[in-house]
Amino acid sequence: MDSLRLAKGDRGIALSTAGHDHVRRGATTVAVNLALAMHALRRQDDEPVVLVDAAPLGHAALHLNLKPMFNLVDLLANASRLDAVMLSSLTARHDSGLDLMGGPAQP
């Protein structure tokens, strides 16, 4: 990964990564495992953990054995009316409780 940023704000922690395609091998596995660990460590009153898969093929859903009905394209198409309820309806919930916003295309 070229960079890893962690920012804590009033509404929780945001983690973002950036890198080149040739460096991204294993990035989905790391992202899924990190999101699951963050979800397991969150306190009851913390904001939920949402894994947003922006990879072209949306492999995070495959890692979590999920078949999201909606994906990142749907989220972006409705960005002007996005609120917590809509975000919740656009995500898929894993058995662990982790929410996934699927990638643009599913494998």
Side-chain angles (χ1 to χ4, degrees):
M1 279 181 234
D2 285 355
S3 67
L4 177 68
R5 290 184 311 214
L6 185 64
K8 184 164 178 27
D10 293 338
R11 298 199 43 129
I13 296 175
L15 176 72
S16 62
T17 63
H20 299 291
D21 287 339
H22 68 279
V23 183
R24 304 285 274 185
R25 292 184 190 100
T28 300
T29 302
V30 171
V32 168
N33 287 323
L34 182 60
L36 287 167
M38 289 175 69
H39 176 75
L41 293 173
R42 70 184 275 278
R43 295 183 307 259
Q44 187 68 24
D45 58 340
D46 286 344
E47 296 289 331
V49 175
V50 179
L51 174 58
V52 178
D53 187 355
L57 293 178
H59 282 126
L62 187 63
H63 281 256
L64 294 167
N65 197 27
L66 292 174
K67 294 183 182 183
M69 292 178 58
F70 303 104
N71 61 39
L72 190 56
V73 174
D74 299 308
L75 176 107
L76 296 174
N78 293 290
S80 64
R81 12 177 277 203
L82 188 64
D83 61 12
V85 173
M86 178 176 262
L87 180 61
S88 178
S89 70
L90 291 173
T91 58
R93 176 138 308 166
H94 183 255
D95 290 341
S96 68
L98 174 69
D99 290 318
L100 171 70
M101 172 52 57
Q106 300 304 318

